Amino acid sequence: MRKVMFSLMVTSALVFTEGAFLVGLPPISIAQQKPIPPYAKWGQLAMKKTHEKYPQAQIVDYLHVGRTTGPQSSVEKFKLWLKDSQREFGVFVDIEFENTTEKVISTKFRESTR
């Protein structure tokens, strides 16, 4: 019985230290990779435009609210949480763009206390 237990311990240790599959799971680096969401470029633009509008504030949180799609244009909606020296507040950012060219039509901001 001791030989079997020792053999299992050594095998597990070797599998773990060599970075191979552990109990049929892929290595952590592969398991943690996530695809880039389709709204990512719009989120970067929302953060850039928010920073331009509120240069003294730090963006402390970010939420993709959703997308509204129309026949000619779509709107990506985000909520960013900002903090400056005097307050913390939310900013809803709506980015409207043409569906075919993805050219930005407008960027709208609306502050929120929640």
Side-chain angles (χ1 to χ4, degrees):
M1 176 119 177
R2 259 187 154 174
K3 282 185 179 181
V4 172
M5 192 181 295
F6 178 76
S7 174
L8 287 174
M9 288 172 39
V10 169
T11 303
S12 296
L14 290 174
V15 167
F16 182 75
T17 58
E18 291 178 2
F21 295 94
L22 180 62
V23 193
L25 297 176
I28 291 174
S29 61
I30 293 173
Q32 291 179 345
Q33 291 178 354
K34 296 179 183 178
I36 297 171
Y39 60 81
K41 80 179 219 175
W42 302 113
Q44 289 176 346
L45 182 61
M47 289 192 291
K48 178 184 175 196
K49 294 292 187 180
T50 301
H51 182 69
E52 289 172 3
K53 184 166 177 70
Y54 303 94
Q56 302 302 321
Q58 178 184 8
I59 299 170
V60 296
D61 203 1
Y62 162 100
L63 172 69
H64 176 246
V65 176
R67 176 186 280 199
T68 304
T69 305
Q72 302 296 321
S73 65
S74 297
V75 179
E76 286 287 359
K77 300 176 181 204
F78 300 91
K79 182 176 183 184
L80 283 68
W81 196 253
L82 282 66
K83 183 178 182 178
D84 63 18
S85 61
Q86 299 174 357
R87 64 184 178 135
E88 285 191 32
F89 58 102
V91 175
F92 288 97
V93 182
D94 294 349
I95 301 174
E96 183 179 8
F97 60 93
E98 294 178 358
N99 291 335
T100 54
T101 64
E102 293 191 340
K103 179 183 175 186
V104 175
I105 298 169
S106 68
T107 304
K108 297 178 183 173
F109 300 91
R110 190 176 77 250
E111 288 188 23
S112 166
T113 57
R114 296 182 192 196

